[in-house]
Amino acid sequence: MKYVSTRDKNARGVSSAEAIKTGLAPDGGLFMPESIPSLTEDDFRSLAVLDYPGRAAFILSLFLDDYGIGRLDGYARESYREERFPGGAAPLRKVSDGLFSLELWHGPTCAFKDMALQIMPRLLSGALTMTGERRTAHILVATSGDTGKAALEGYRDVPGVKITVFYPRDGVSRMQKMQMTTQEGGNVNVTAVEGNFDDAQTGVKRIFSDGAMRERADRDGTFFSSANSINWGRLAPQIVYYVSAYCDLMNGGAIKYGDTVNYVVPTGNFGNIFAAFIAKKMGLPVGRLICASNSNRVLTDFIETGVYDRNREFFKTISPSMDILISSNLERLIFSVAGAETTASLMDELGRTGRYKVPADVLAAVRETFSGYSADENETRDEIGKLFREDGYLVDPHTAVGFRCAEKYFADTGDGTVTVVASTASPYKFPADVCAALGDPVGSDDPAEALNALSAATGTDIPAPLARVLTLPVRFTGSVSPDKMEDAIFG
Ligand SMILES: *Cc1c(COP(=O)(O)O)cnc(C)c1O
C-alpha cells in the first residue's frame, strides 16, 4: 500500500513507514492511502470474536502492510494492555434505547488521544528501523492541553525517540499543567511558553521549517518529527474503534450484520470523524456521520453551505479541545471526494484568504454522508445535567456536545437508527466545569478539591491516573519566551 499527498495530482507514492516517519508530504499536503481496503462480511464475523488488540492488528495490517501483522499484533497488545486501559480499550455503554456511548478515554491520560498516541510511538519506532534511520527522532509538540500529555505518555522511554512539549504558561487548566509537569520518563522534556497557544504553535512551526535548526539537529544525530493528527500514524489507529463498536453491537444483539449505525463525533481538527469516514469507505455499514461542534462552528457552517471560513470570532469554551478554527484533516475529506488538483487549489486559497468554497458537486458528496450540528455553552452544560439526571450517565463537556448534537439530529430527522456517540474525555479531566453544570460548583480552583467534589456529587470514582498525578513531584518548571524556544530544544 502506497501513500500519496492530498495535493499531488501525479500521485507519487511512499511506503507507510515513510509516511509515518515524515508526517507531512513535501508539498505541504497530507498523506493518504492510494486506495481504501475493504472489509467483507466474513471479516466482520472474524473480527467480532477477537479482542481489541486483535481487531486493531488486523485493521492496521490492511493499511500498514509493510509492517506485517505479527509486528502490529505485538504493538497493539503492548499499547492496549489491561494495565494501560483497565477494563478494555474502547468499551461501548448503552445510555438509552438505541443510543450508545463509545468510551475512548480509559487510557493513561483519560482522553481519546491515548487510543492513537499509545500505539503511534511504536509505529514510528518500527518505521525508523524499517527505513534504516540511525538518528534519534525528536518529537516537537505544541499543545493546548490534551495532546501534549497523551504524547508524553506515549513516547516516554520509547527507544530511538525523544520528545519536547511546549504548552502556553497561562493557557492550560491546572489539572492539565500538573499532568504535564509531573511527567515521568528519561526522554521527555516539558517547557512552558510565555505566551498563548498560537505563540507556542508558531514557534514549533518555525523550528520545523528552519534549515539551520535542522542542520543543528542532524549534527546532534537527531531529526525533528511531529505527533499531531496530520500524521497518518495517528489517524489509522482511530479507524479501529468504529469497526470495533460495530462488532460489539453485533455481539450484544443490538444489530445484526448489515444494519446501519450512525456515529456522532465531537470534532475539532476533523481527525477523529475522518477516521470514521475511512471506516465507512472500508465497508462499515454507516448511516450518517454527525459532525458535532461547540460554539466554534466552522465545520457546521461548512457542511451547511460549502463555505469554509476561519475569519470569524474565536470562542473559548468549556470544551477547549474543540476550540479550533483550522480543521487540518478536512483536507483529507476534500481529497477523498474531489481529488488532488481541486484540493491543492482550495488549500492554496485557504492559505491566502482563510476561506474557500467547494463546488456544488463536492458539497453534495460531503452531505451524502455528513450532517453538521453545533451546541453552544448553555446547551453543553444543560446536556451534562440532563444525561446525569435522566440516564445516570456522567459525561465531560466534549462528549456532552456530541450528545446534544445527536438529539438535534433526531429531532430534525426522526431517524431511529442505532446511534453511537464517541465519548472523547473522562469527566474527571474537567471536574470544575462538570460540577458547575451539575449545579454543584466547586469553591476553589485546587485540582484535588475539584476531583473530590465531582466524586462526592456523583458517587463515581476518580480515575487512577488522575488521582496519581496529585501525588507526583513536579519535574519541569522552566519557561521560555516564544522567540527562545530553540534554547529549550538544544539546552
Ligand atoms: C482532540 C479532542 C477532540 C477533537 O478531536 P479531533 O480529532 O481534533 O476532531 C474532541 N474531544 C477531546 C476531549 C479531545 O481531546
Side-chain angles (χ1 to χ4, degrees):
M1 171 84 70
K2 292 284 185 204
Y3 285 77
V4 297
S5 165
T6 48
R7 300 184 193 178
D8 178 12
K9 64 180 191 318
N10 298 317
R12 285 166 292 231
V14 301
S15 69
S16 67
E18 195 66 41
I20 287 170
K21 183 175 128 184
T22 50
L24 198 67
D27 59 6
L30 310 188
F31 282 117
M32 276 289 287
E34 62 184 352
S35 63
I36 306 293
S38 45
L39 294 171
T40 62
E41 177 171 353
D42 279 350
D43 290 331
F44 276 93
R45 300 213 182 276
S46 321
L47 286 166
V49 299
L50 298 179
D51 58 5
Y52 192 86
R55 292 171 183 173
F58 180 78
I59 290 163
L60 288 174
S61 75
L62 302 175
F63 288 99
L64 313 178
D65 51 357
D66 44 348
Y67 285 75
I69 192 157
R71 191 200 300 243
L72 292 169
D73 194 67
Y75 291 169
R77 300 224 163 261
E78 183 64 22
S79 304
Y80 301 115
R81 67 174 194 260
E82 176 71 20
E83 179 196 326
R84 290 176 203 266
F85 288 85
L92 195 62
R93 259 195 66 151
K94 183 170 177 175
V95 174
S96 56
D97 267 353
L99 186 61
F100 294 81
S101 179
L102 177 58
E103 295 183 348
L104 302 172
W105 41 262
H106 291 276
T109 77
C110 304
F112 95 92
K113 307 266 190 311
D114 290 329
M115 297 299 298
L117 279 166
Q118 281 296 309
I119 192 164
M120 183 181 165
R122 295 176 172 83
L123 296 174
L124 176 64
S125 244
L128 298 182
T129 311
M130 282 189 275
T131 58
E133 180 61 65
R134 306 271 270 278
R135 296 169 299 173
T136 296
H138 191 163
I139 310 288
L140 303 183
V141 180
T143 184
S144 57
D146 288 341
T147 300
K149 176 62 185 178
L152 285 163
E153 204 46 56
Y155 283 97
R156 72 185 259 197
D157 298 325
V158 171
V161 180
K162 64 179 179 176
I163 174 166
T164 300
V165 168
F166 294 100
Y167 70 92
R169 192 182 54 188
D170 304 313
V172 298
S173 76
R174 286 197 55 184
M175 189 70 215
Q176 288 173 322
K177 182 172 176 171
M178 281 188 76
Q179 279 188 297
M180 289 189 278
T181 57
T182 58
Q183 178 64 45
E184 299 158 291
N187 62 343
V188 301
N189 183 22
V190 177
T191 301
V193 174
E194 293 147 10
N196 59 25
F197 171 65
D198 283 334
D199 296 324
Q201 171 98 314
T202 305
V204 165
K205 283 189 180 156
R206 181 182 71 236
I207 295 164
F208 269 118
S209 60
D210 182 335
M213 281 290 123
R214 277 205 302 271
E215 273 171 35
R216 196 165 158 195
D218 196 53
R219 279 199 303 279
D220 283 1
T222 66
F223 70 99
F224 297 132
S225 184
S226 120
N228 65 25
S229 70
I230 56 178
N231 193 311
W232 181 256
R234 233 184 105 178
L235 229 137
Q238 300 183 344
I239 300 167
V240 176
Y241 44 75
Y242 294 105
V243 176
S244 178
Y246 193 86
C247 292
D248 290 342
L249 287 168
M250 278 168 47
N251 288 344
I255 57 167
K256 55 185 194 326
Y257 175 77
D259 291 348
T260 59
V261 171
N262 300 323
Y263 289 90
V264 184
V265 187
T267 306
N269 217 344
F270 209 75
N272 202 7
I273 195 166
F274 185 73
F277 177 73
I278 296 282
K280 178 176 198 268
K281 289 188 77 110
M282 293 177 79
L284 181 69
V286 171
R288 304 294 300 167
L289 289 179
I290 295 150
C291 176
S293 298
N294 63 22
S295 301
N296 295 296
R297 38 171 288 154
V298 63
L299 290 165
T300 324
D301 292 340
F302 170 70
I303 293 166
E304 244 163 55
T305 64
V307 176
Y308 186 88
D309 189 351
R310 64 174 166 81
N311 307 307
R312 60 173 69 209
E313 192 183 346
F314 175 82
F315 298 102
K316 241 174 109 77
T317 74
I318 59 169
S319 47
S321 302
M322 292 154 65
D323 291 346
I324 289 179
L325 294 179
I326 307 174
S327 297
S328 316
N329 275 296
L330 189 60
E331 176 168 351
R332 286 193 160 109
L333 178 65
I334 306 284
F335 170 78
S336 302
V337 300
E341 204 160 342
T342 303
T343 307
S345 90
L346 291 176
M347 292 306 129
D348 178 60
E349 200 178 326
L350 181 67
R352 283 184 292 106
T353 67
R355 174 185 194 281
Y356 60 78
K357 182 175 178 21
V358 297
D361 58 327
V362 173
L363 178 60
V366 169
R367 291 167 60 116
E368 214 170 277
T369 302
F370 290 89
S371 299
Y373 285 88
S374 72
D376 67 20
E377 292 290 88
N378 284 334
E379 291 172 321
T380 306
R381 291 196 186 92
D382 182 67
E383 188 66 25
I384 293 172
K386 182 169 166 285
L387 279 171
F388 189 66
R389 272 192 323 274
E390 293 178 8
D391 301 301
Y393 189 55
L394 185 65
V395 296
D396 93 291
H398 303 78
T399 306
V401 168
F403 274 95
R404 179 52 66 103
C405 290
E407 280 166 27
K408 290 185 177 190
Y409 167 78
F410 296 142
D412 271 3
T413 60
D415 186 0
T417 305
V418 168
T419 297
V420 173
V421 178
S423 175
T424 52
S426 159
Y428 281 91
K429 274 208 95 160
F430 307 92
D433 288 320
V434 174
C435 278
L438 294 172
D440 233 335
V442 189
S444 94
D445 67 351
D446 176 51
E449 254 179 67
L451 289 179
N452 289 325
L454 184 56
S455 179
T458 59
T460 57
D461 292 333
I462 302 171
L466 296 180
R468 185 161 176 273
V469 160
L470 300 174
T471 69
L472 295 174
V474 170
R475 293 180 67 197
F476 301 100
T477 53
S479 66
V480 292
S481 66
D483 57 336
K484 292 274 161 48
M485 286 166 58
E486 285 79 356
D487 298 351
I489 289 174
F490 292 108

